[in-house]
Amino acid sequence: MMGSTLPPTPPANRTRWEAGTWVEVAWGVRYNHGGGYQYRLCPANEPLTEECFQRHPLEFDRTKQVLKWNNGTLEYPMGSKAIFVDGDAVRPEGSTWARNPIPRIWDSKLGLH
């Protein structure tokens, strides 16, 4: 991953995010470890560092979590089944992360011991 070694996006090509607005985002699972996720932004006028992203976590709209199949054939609104973790159990403290709704596949590792 190149991370902060990428050249900056020219200002004219940057997406403009207005504080306080909600935007639709998505993510996909390739190798399911059964964890969770959090979205963060780093302001364009700050260096792209992990510390910068840690300082700027985004809130979830807890009413609009939807599980979608990759091929678009099925959508499942999560509603109250969506699991969020917040408070002092999350870093940065006071932010929120959402649990991956797809359970980790049990791998007994038979034959590998």
Side-chain angles (χ1 to χ4, degrees):
M1 299 203 327
M2 297 193 55
S4 60
T5 63
L6 292 172
T9 303
N13 297 344
R14 293 181 187 163
T15 300
R16 307 247 344 133
W17 299 92
E18 186 176 329
T21 60
W22 298 93
V23 296
E24 184 174 331
V25 296
W27 64 275
V29 175
R30 177 166 287 180
Y31 303 105
N32 191 3
H33 69 289
Y37 60 97
Q38 181 182 65
Y39 291 104
R40 302 169 183 171
L41 292 177
C42 183
N45 63 347
E46 294 186 36
L48 295 179
T49 63
E50 178 63 23
E51 291 76 20
C52 178
F53 284 98
Q54 291 263 347
R55 286 192 308 272
H56 301 282
L58 302 178
E59 293 181 47
F60 288 95
D61 182 340
R62 295 176 183 227
T63 67
K64 296 187 178 180
Q65 304 297 306
V66 177
L67 184 60
K68 296 183 179 186
W69 268 237
N70 286 344
N71 63 8
T73 60
L74 185 63
E75 290 189 8
Y76 178 76
M78 297 294 292
S80 63
K81 293 177 181 72
I83 298 172
F84 297 95
V85 179
D86 52 22
D88 61 0
V90 179
R91 298 290 175 256
E93 191 171 318
S95 64
T96 303
W97 65 267
R99 184 174 171 194
N100 175 357
I102 306 297
R104 182 176 183 267
I105 296 173
W106 173 251
D107 178 7
S108 67
K109 298 185 177 18
L110 287 176
L112 297 177
H113 300 287

